[in-house]
Amino acid sequence: MRGCPRLALLCALLPWLLRAAAPRRPAQPLARGDPRDPARGADFDRVYSGVVSLSTENIYSFNYTSQPGQVNAVRVYVNSSSENLDYPVLVVVRQQKAVLSWQVPLLFQGLYQKSYNYQEVSRTLCPSEATNETGPLEQLIFVDVASMAPLGAPYKLLVTKIQHFQLQTNVAFHFTASPSQPQKKDFPGEQFFVVFVIKPEDYACGGSFFIQEKENQTWNLQRAKNLKVTIVPSIKETIYVKSILLSFLIFFSFYLGCLLIAFVHYIRFQRKSIDGSFGSSDGSGNMAVSHPIAASTPEGSNYGAIEESSSSPGRQMSSSDGGQPCQSDTDSSVEESDFDTMPDIESDKNIIRTKMFLYLSDLSRKDRRIVSKKYKIYFWNIITLAVFYALPVIQLVITYQTVVNVTGNQDICYYNFLCAHPLGVLSAFNNILSNLGHVLLGFLFLLIVLRRDILHRRALEAKDIFAMDYGIPKHFGVFYAMGIALMMEGVLSACYHVCPNYSNFQFDTSFMYMIAGLCMLKLYQTRHPDINASAYAAYASFAVVITLTVLGVVFGKNDLWFWIIFSAIHILASLALSTQIYYMGRFKIDVSDTDLGIFRRAAMVFYTDFVQQCSRPLYMDRMVLLIVGNLVNWSFALFGLIYRPRDFASYMLGIFICNLLLYLAFYIIMKLRSSEKLLPIPLFCIVATAVVWASALYFFFQNLSSWEGTPAESREKNRECILLDFFDDHDIWHFLSATALFFSFLVLLTLDDDLDVVRRDQIPVF
């Protein structure tokens, strides 16, 4: 009986031992679609519907083979009719090297606490491209659909292969995109992707949207956009070469023209020197000239002026009474106090400058070396300003360009994208190249001024009577400053166009103001050499103008208080400047008085010069100019106060240009009225200036971009290239404006060349 338990145990283990000893059969894979499989095998281009909840999750698997040289992109669409934002449908897409997820409904946050939800969402999956080395690749995609909804959330799933994923050159492709369904396209060759994203609101693209309610609102706005995209090849390298060569050739032709004119003048001068026919000599070596306005000069009006008699041989050294004009200008130890030997010089100023008829000799009494040294400060100061201004500008635009190149954000810089040709790290090389004219023509103007300066110095060293006592006193400091300003305008305009935007608009406009201001100062200095503004006061005034411009751009769009303050400053500054011009800088009121005498004297001056002499002012010509000038400036102030233009920088520049043109027109009219002549070269320059400026302004007003609006609004203004498939309208403006400024400078430089044979005591002041 003891063996019975052992037998029973053996009988129990026998079936197990038999199964263990039997040969194993291979495990069978689960059938596709088997409910026990966590991932459902799915087909492309088939819509799958289902409901997911807290306890239900569906996983779909898709596979395909990617062949070498073929790019297969897959797009996943998910739609849900559920509008419960608390329990959305969650979608997770897993690839070999990427994971992408989103929710349906998809919620976008807008402005003013406004929300937008979209019931259908689709995404393009990044493709994995097979190569010849790897051979065909098996691609496997899992789509996981889930939700935390306790009662379930319905959905529909569709996965498709994109048929036209690769774009072709010069072939337009039409498609539709929405905020919840962005498109991504691939371009072969360089392998870059083009992604189109739609904004839920128009505000980001320049539209306006206002809502009065403050509580949160959700809008079910299904917006979609129909788009067309075309990839076109960039321009060839030959066009770059032609455009660069053309730019240099155009402006080097000005160098050749100036050399030709200088050669012709040299030949004529040599012939006149040989013939001895230069000028009209009276036999004593002095030039005999007639008084240009003798018929209209009243008797006794030449008080304080130099005698007109020129028959005395000692007249050649007459200028030595106030110093030593025949010495070189390079004497750095010259000081004004060393040569003001007349103890009553201040009283003479008050007497002379209040004469009814003034001549140039009355306002050129200071030693020439003192005045020349004073005007050279303009040149050295503007070089200092240019260096300190340009270095941080260059550093800033390099940073901007680097950010654009690294991030690819095309909304940072406001280019004309339809005509923006890159070169190296620069995104719009054509806009930079077109500023070459400012630099080349500015340097050419410096060479022309230097030549005149050298010839004038030689004449002074030779004690030439015409250089000492005839014509307009030659002071070239402001001309040098104008040439540097023109060159810096080109440099800073190029810096601005590296990345044009709201933050760097003042780079080139600053030197535009300086150019206009220097031109007006030079025009005034021509016949008022002793009483012109100092360089420090002039540049300080420019600094105030630039500061006001920055404030105007920042606050001038909507703030009425700024326009009230600016208009008041504009009008008061016009009146103050007019007073100084009318009284030749001799209008002073002793502000040290503590009683009411200052107001009584001011009232007396106003009554004497404006009320009592209203029918016939003491200085009629100056009065006419100042009345017209004040009317123009008051009109500008009133226009700005009423309309408040958005482009304050251009508004301020318009004020400067209008005042400059007004003063230049007055100067030319008074010159012709005084029986003075316009020689062929200045006459040609005047006509050329008018024609070129008119053409330049036409291209200037062809707005191709604007940083005043949004990047999208700016792109609406973009236009194609118009010259050599390389330059746009704004580039033509650069070319023409540089040429117009060059001719304008030549007008100021040569306008009074006809007076080189006229004594200074016979040249009227106006």
mmCIF file of all heavy atoms in Angstrom, residues 216-247:
data_model
loop_
_atom_site.group_PDB
_atom_site.id
_atom_site.type_symbol
_atom_site.label_atom_id
_atom_site.label_comp_id
_atom_site.label_asym_id
_atom_site.label_seq_id
_atom_site.Cartn_x
_atom_site.Cartn_y
_atom_site.Cartn_z
ATOM 1 N N ASN A 216 -14.117 86.413 -21.324
ATOM 2 C CA ASN A 216 -13.583 85.509 -22.333
ATOM 3 C C ASN A 216 -14.682 85.068 -23.294
ATOM 4 O O ASN A 216 -15.811 84.797 -22.886
ATOM 5 C CB ASN A 216 -12.956 84.278 -21.677
ATOM 6 C CG ASN A 216 -11.703 84.647 -20.898
ATOM 7 O OD1 ASN A 216 -11.012 85.568 -21.267
ATOM 8 N ND2 ASN A 216 -11.439 83.911 -19.831
ATOM 9 N N GLN A 217 -14.337 85.004 -24.557
ATOM 10 C CA GLN A 217 -15.274 84.544 -25.571
ATOM 11 C C GLN A 217 -14.564 83.566 -26.485
ATOM 12 O O GLN A 217 -13.379 83.708 -26.784
ATOM 13 C CB GLN A 217 -15.808 85.720 -26.402
ATOM 14 C CG GLN A 217 -16.713 86.657 -25.604
ATOM 15 C CD GLN A 217 -17.472 87.590 -26.522
ATOM 16 O OE1 GLN A 217 -17.455 87.433 -27.723
ATOM 17 N NE2 GLN A 217 -18.153 88.547 -25.934
ATOM 18 N N THR A 218 -15.300 82.566 -26.929
ATOM 19 C CA THR A 218 -14.766 81.560 -27.835
ATOM 20 C C THR A 218 -15.607 81.558 -29.104
ATOM 21 O O THR A 218 -16.828 81.428 -29.050
ATOM 22 C CB THR A 218 -14.790 80.176 -27.182
ATOM 23 O OG1 THR A 218 -14.036 80.211 -25.972
ATOM 24 C CG2 THR A 218 -14.194 79.149 -28.125
ATOM 25 N N TRP A 219 -14.926 81.720 -30.220
ATOM 26 C CA TRP A 219 -15.597 81.789 -31.517
ATOM 27 C C TRP A 219 -15.223 80.552 -32.328
ATOM 28 O O TRP A 219 -14.057 80.186 -32.423
ATOM 29 C CB TRP A 219 -15.168 83.048 -32.281
ATOM 30 C CG TRP A 219 -15.702 84.316 -31.698
ATOM 31 C CD1 TRP A 219 -15.648 84.713 -30.407
ATOM 32 C CD2 TRP A 219 -16.367 85.356 -32.408
ATOM 33 N NE1 TRP A 219 -16.226 85.931 -30.241
ATOM 34 C CE2 TRP A 219 -16.682 86.370 -31.467
ATOM 35 C CE3 TRP A 219 -16.733 85.549 -33.732
ATOM 36 C CZ2 TRP A 219 -17.341 87.534 -31.806
ATOM 37 C CZ3 TRP A 219 -17.378 86.725 -34.078
ATOM 38 C CH2 TRP A 219 -17.689 87.695 -33.115
ATOM 39 N N ASN A 220 -16.245 79.952 -32.909
ATOM 40 C CA ASN A 220 -16.023 78.804 -33.785
ATOM 41 C C ASN A 220 -15.936 79.319 -35.222
ATOM 42 O O ASN A 220 -16.874 79.225 -36.005
ATOM 43 C CB ASN A 220 -17.157 77.798 -33.625
ATOM 44 C CG ASN A 220 -16.853 76.493 -34.339
ATOM 45 O OD1 ASN A 220 -15.836 76.365 -35.008
ATOM 46 N ND2 ASN A 220 -17.748 75.532 -34.190
ATOM 47 N N LEU A 221 -14.771 79.902 -35.535
ATOM 48 C CA LEU A 221 -14.576 80.542 -36.833
ATOM 49 C C LEU A 221 -13.705 79.644 -37.702
ATOM 50 O O LEU A 221 -12.536 79.429 -37.405
ATOM 51 C CB LEU A 221 -13.906 81.914 -36.665
ATOM 52 C CG LEU A 221 -13.628 82.698 -37.943
ATOM 53 C CD1 LEU A 221 -14.932 83.042 -38.647
ATOM 54 C CD2 LEU A 221 -12.833 83.961 -37.646
ATOM 55 N N GLN A 222 -14.295 79.092 -38.746
ATOM 56 C CA GLN A 222 -13.573 78.176 -39.626
ATOM 57 C C GLN A 222 -13.037 78.961 -40.825
ATOM 58 O O GLN A 222 -13.621 78.948 -41.902
ATOM 59 C CB GLN A 222 -14.502 77.040 -40.068
ATOM 60 C CG GLN A 222 -15.114 76.253 -38.934
ATOM 61 C CD GLN A 222 -14.055 75.550 -38.094
ATOM 62 O OE1 GLN A 222 -13.098 75.011 -38.634
ATOM 63 N NE2 GLN A 222 -14.237 75.550 -36.787
ATOM 64 N N ARG A 223 -11.945 79.673 -40.640
ATOM 65 C CA ARG A 223 -11.387 80.469 -41.733
ATOM 66 C C ARG A 223 -10.378 79.642 -42.517
ATOM 67 O O ARG A 223 -9.661 78.817 -41.969
ATOM 68 C CB ARG A 223 -10.758 81.748 -41.196
ATOM 69 C CG ARG A 223 -9.302 81.695 -40.991
ATOM 70 C CD ARG A 223 -8.624 82.991 -40.647
ATOM 71 N NE ARG A 223 -9.381 84.192 -40.833
ATOM 72 C CZ ARG A 223 -8.869 85.410 -40.673
ATOM 73 N NH1 ARG A 223 -7.632 85.554 -40.298
ATOM 74 N NH2 ARG A 223 -9.602 86.479 -40.852
ATOM 75 N N ALA A 224 -10.370 79.857 -43.815
ATOM 76 C CA ALA A 224 -9.429 79.170 -44.702
ATOM 77 C C ALA A 224 -9.005 80.143 -45.792
ATOM 78 O O ALA A 224 -9.750 81.060 -46.162
ATOM 79 C CB ALA A 224 -10.062 77.923 -45.311
ATOM 80 N N LYS A 225 -7.794 79.955 -46.296
ATOM 81 C CA LYS A 225 -7.236 80.825 -47.323
ATOM 82 C C LYS A 225 -6.835 79.989 -48.533
ATOM 83 O O LYS A 225 -6.218 78.922 -48.406
ATOM 84 C CB LYS A 225 -6.001 81.561 -46.789
ATOM 85 C CG LYS A 225 -6.285 82.513 -45.637
ATOM 86 C CD LYS A 225 -7.081 83.725 -46.087
ATOM 87 C CE LYS A 225 -7.258 84.709 -44.941
ATOM 88 N NZ LYS A 225 -8.023 85.907 -45.345
ATOM 89 N N ASN A 226 -7.190 80.498 -49.716
ATOM 90 C CA ASN A 226 -6.758 79.888 -50.966
ATOM 91 C C ASN A 226 -5.436 80.530 -51.391
ATOM 92 O O ASN A 226 -5.366 81.752 -51.566
ATOM 93 C CB ASN A 226 -7.810 80.076 -52.052
ATOM 94 C CG ASN A 226 -9.105 79.367 -51.715
ATOM 95 O OD1 ASN A 226 -9.102 78.257 -51.184
ATOM 96 N ND2 ASN A 226 -10.229 80.002 -52.027
ATOM 97 N N LEU A 227 -4.411 79.729 -51.537
ATOM 98 C CA LEU A 227 -3.069 80.233 -51.786
ATOM 99 C C LEU A 227 -2.529 79.701 -53.101
ATOM 100 O O LEU A 227 -2.939 78.637 -53.587
ATOM 101 C CB LEU A 227 -2.123 79.832 -50.647
ATOM 102 C CG LEU A 227 -2.552 80.242 -49.233
ATOM 103 C CD1 LEU A 227 -1.591 79.674 -48.212
ATOM 104 C CD2 LEU A 227 -2.622 81.753 -49.107
ATOM 105 N N LYS A 228 -1.583 80.453 -53.650
ATOM 106 C CA LYS A 228 -0.842 80.025 -54.829
ATOM 107 C C LYS A 228 0.626 80.338 -54.598
ATOM 108 O O LYS A 228 0.988 81.466 -54.272
ATOM 109 C CB LYS A 228 -1.336 80.758 -56.083
ATOM 110 C CG LYS A 228 -0.598 80.309 -57.360
ATOM 111 C CD LYS A 228 -1.100 81.047 -58.584
ATOM 112 C CE LYS A 228 -0.627 82.480 -58.610
ATOM 113 N NZ LYS A 228 -0.919 83.151 -59.896
ATOM 114 N N VAL A 229 1.460 79.339 -54.735
ATOM 115 C CA VAL A 229 2.888 79.512 -54.506
ATOM 116 C C VAL A 229 3.648 79.101 -55.758
ATOM 117 O O VAL A 229 3.299 78.108 -56.412
ATOM 118 C CB VAL A 229 3.363 78.688 -53.280
ATOM 119 C CG1 VAL A 229 3.069 77.213 -53.465
ATOM 120 C CG2 VAL A 229 4.847 78.900 -53.036
ATOM 121 N N THR A 230 4.662 79.913 -56.087
ATOM 122 C CA THR A 230 5.503 79.641 -57.247
ATOM 123 C C THR A 230 6.959 79.833 -56.856
ATOM 124 O O THR A 230 7.313 80.880 -56.285
ATOM 125 C CB THR A 230 5.157 80.568 -58.424
ATOM 126 O OG1 THR A 230 3.751 80.464 -58.708
ATOM 127 C CG2 THR A 230 5.956 80.209 -59.662
ATOM 128 N N ILE A 231 7.782 78.873 -57.139
ATOM 129 C CA ILE A 231 9.219 78.968 -56.891
ATOM 130 C C ILE A 231 9.894 79.390 -58.188
ATOM 131 O O ILE A 231 9.741 78.722 -59.227
ATOM 132 C CB ILE A 231 9.797 77.625 -56.404
ATOM 133 C CG1 ILE A 231 9.057 77.158 -55.145
ATOM 134 C CG2 ILE A 231 11.283 77.754 -56.130
ATOM 135 C CD1 ILE A 231 9.246 78.054 -53.959
ATOM 136 N N VAL A 232 10.621 80.503 -58.155
ATOM 137 C CA VAL A 232 11.318 80.998 -59.339
ATOM 138 C C VAL A 232 12.811 81.001 -59.048
ATOM 139 O O VAL A 232 13.236 81.216 -57.908
ATOM 140 C CB VAL A 232 10.845 82.412 -59.725
ATOM 141 C CG1 VAL A 232 9.383 82.399 -60.112
ATOM 142 C CG2 VAL A 232 11.088 83.397 -58.592
ATOM 143 N N PRO A 233 13.634 80.770 -60.046
ATOM 144 C CA PRO A 233 15.090 80.762 -59.811
ATOM 145 C C PRO A 233 15.602 82.170 -59.551
ATOM 146 O O PRO A 233 15.045 83.162 -60.041
ATOM 147 C CB PRO A 233 15.652 80.181 -61.116
ATOM 148 C CG PRO A 233 14.612 80.486 -62.146
ATOM 149 C CD PRO A 233 13.294 80.424 -61.439
ATOM 150 N N SER A 234 16.649 82.270 -58.763
ATOM 151 C CA SER A 234 17.268 83.569 -58.488
ATOM 152 C C SER A 234 18.044 84.028 -59.712
ATOM 153 O O SER A 234 18.296 83.260 -60.649
ATOM 154 C CB SER A 234 18.195 83.467 -57.277
ATOM 155 O OG SER A 234 19.209 82.506 -57.505
ATOM 156 N N ILE A 235 18.418 85.310 -59.703
ATOM 157 C CA ILE A 235 19.113 85.873 -60.858
ATOM 158 C C ILE A 235 20.510 85.267 -60.977
ATOM 159 O O ILE A 235 21.084 84.762 -60.015
ATOM 160 C CB ILE A 235 19.205 87.404 -60.738
ATOM 161 C CG1 ILE A 235 19.989 87.797 -59.487
ATOM 162 C CG2 ILE A 235 17.828 88.023 -60.718
ATOM 163 C CD1 ILE A 235 20.219 89.277 -59.363
ATOM 164 N N LYS A 236 21.054 85.335 -62.175
ATOM 165 C CA LYS A 236 22.360 84.750 -62.444
ATOM 166 C C LYS A 236 23.482 85.662 -61.941
ATOM 167 O O LYS A 236 23.284 86.851 -61.699
ATOM 168 C CB LYS A 236 22.513 84.501 -63.942
ATOM 169 C CG LYS A 236 21.483 83.538 -64.519
ATOM 170 C CD LYS A 236 21.694 83.343 -66.018
ATOM 171 C CE LYS A 236 20.653 82.395 -66.599
ATOM 172 N NZ LYS A 236 20.821 82.202 -68.054
ATOM 173 N N GLU A 237 24.663 85.088 -61.826
ATOM 174 C CA GLU A 237 25.809 85.857 -61.360
ATOM 175 C C GLU A 237 26.179 86.970 -62.330
ATOM 176 O O GLU A 237 26.711 88.005 -61.922
ATOM 177 C CB GLU A 237 26.999 84.923 -61.153
ATOM 178 C CG GLU A 237 26.813 83.913 -60.025
ATOM 179 C CD GLU A 237 28.030 83.038 -59.834
ATOM 180 O OE1 GLU A 237 29.007 83.219 -60.604
ATOM 181 O OE2 GLU A 237 28.022 82.191 -58.923
ATOM 182 N N THR A 238 25.911 86.766 -63.618
ATOM 183 C CA THR A 238 26.247 87.801 -64.601
ATOM 184 C C THR A 238 25.473 89.090 -64.350
ATOM 185 O O THR A 238 25.987 90.181 -64.609
ATOM 186 C CB THR A 238 25.955 87.286 -66.015
ATOM 187 O OG1 THR A 238 24.572 86.867 -66.089
ATOM 188 C CG2 THR A 238 26.845 86.113 -66.360
ATOM 189 N N ILE A 239 24.241 88.965 -63.837
ATOM 190 C CA ILE A 239 23.466 90.171 -63.540
ATOM 191 C C ILE A 239 24.092 90.929 -62.377
ATOM 192 O O ILE A 239 24.134 92.174 -62.376
ATOM 193 C CB ILE A 239 22.008 89.790 -63.239
ATOM 194 C CG1 ILE A 239 21.364 89.150 -64.468
ATOM 195 C CG2 ILE A 239 21.211 91.006 -62.781
ATOM 196 C CD1 ILE A 239 19.917 88.772 -64.287
ATOM 197 N N TYR A 240 24.597 90.225 -61.377
ATOM 198 C CA TYR A 240 25.319 90.886 -60.286
ATOM 199 C C TYR A 240 26.512 91.670 -60.827
ATOM 200 O O TYR A 240 26.734 92.834 -60.461
ATOM 201 C CB TYR A 240 25.807 89.849 -59.268
ATOM 202 C CG TYR A 240 24.765 89.392 -58.282
ATOM 203 C CD1 TYR A 240 23.928 88.328 -58.565
ATOM 204 C CD2 TYR A 240 24.629 90.025 -57.050
ATOM 205 C CE1 TYR A 240 22.972 87.890 -57.665
ATOM 206 C CE2 TYR A 240 23.682 89.592 -56.130
ATOM 207 C CZ TYR A 240 22.857 88.529 -56.442
ATOM 208 O OH TYR A 240 21.917 88.111 -55.536
ATOM 209 N N VAL A 241 27.283 91.032 -61.699
ATOM 210 C CA VAL A 241 28.485 91.675 -62.242
ATOM 211 C C VAL A 241 28.115 92.908 -63.063
ATOM 212 O O VAL A 241 28.717 93.983 -62.924
ATOM 213 C CB VAL A 241 29.290 90.667 -63.082
ATOM 214 C CG1 VAL A 241 30.480 91.363 -63.740
ATOM 215 C CG2 VAL A 241 29.771 89.512 -62.213
ATOM 216 N N LYS A 242 27.100 92.778 -63.927
ATOM 217 C CA LYS A 242 26.681 93.914 -64.753
ATOM 218 C C LYS A 242 26.186 95.075 -63.892
ATOM 219 O O LYS A 242 26.497 96.238 -64.167
ATOM 220 C CB LYS A 242 25.574 93.469 -65.713
ATOM 221 C CG LYS A 242 26.039 92.526 -66.808
ATOM 222 C CD LYS A 242 24.871 92.131 -67.708
ATOM 223 C CE LYS A 242 25.309 91.169 -68.784
ATOM 224 N NZ LYS A 242 24.182 90.738 -69.655
ATOM 225 N N SER A 243 25.429 94.769 -62.846
ATOM 226 C CA SER A 243 24.880 95.821 -61.995
ATOM 227 C C SER A 243 25.980 96.552 -61.236
ATOM 228 O O SER A 243 25.959 97.794 -61.122
ATOM 229 C CB SER A 243 23.867 95.226 -61.011
ATOM 230 O OG SER A 243 22.832 94.558 -61.696
ATOM 231 N N ILE A 244 26.956 95.812 -60.742
ATOM 232 C CA ILE A 244 28.066 96.447 -60.014
ATOM 233 C C ILE A 244 28.893 97.312 -60.960
ATOM 234 O O ILE A 244 29.244 98.459 -60.639
ATOM 235 C CB ILE A 244 28.929 95.370 -59.338
ATOM 236 C CG1 ILE A 244 28.126 94.659 -58.243
ATOM 237 C CG2 ILE A 244 30.188 95.991 -58.744
ATOM 238 C CD1 ILE A 244 28.851 93.479 -57.627
ATOM 239 N N LEU A 245 29.197 96.788 -62.140
ATOM 240 C CA LEU A 245 29.984 97.568 -63.101
ATOM 241 C C LEU A 245 29.238 98.810 -63.551
ATOM 242 O O LEU A 245 29.834 99.897 -63.683
ATOM 243 C CB LEU A 245 30.339 96.689 -64.306
ATOM 244 C CG LEU A 245 31.333 95.554 -64.046
ATOM 245 C CD1 LEU A 245 31.548 94.740 -65.319
ATOM 246 C CD2 LEU A 245 32.664 96.113 -63.551
ATOM 247 N N LEU A 246 27.937 98.695 -63.784
ATOM 248 C CA LEU A 246 27.157 99.851 -64.207
ATOM 249 C C LEU A 246 27.159 100.933 -63.139
ATOM 250 O O LEU A 246 27.286 102.128 -63.449
ATOM 251 C CB LEU A 246 25.726 99.419 -64.521
ATOM 252 C CG LEU A 246 24.770 100.554 -64.923
ATOM 253 C CD1 LEU A 246 25.216 101.174 -66.238
ATOM 254 C CD2 LEU A 246 23.336 100.043 -65.040
ATOM 255 N N SER A 247 27.040 100.526 -61.879
ATOM 256 C CA SER A 247 27.030 101.512 -60.794
ATOM 257 C C SER A 247 28.336 102.294 -60.757
ATOM 258 O O SER A 247 28.335 103.531 -60.622
ATOM 259 C CB SER A 247 26.795 100.806 -59.453
ATOM 260 O OG SER A 247 25.571 100.097 -59.459
#
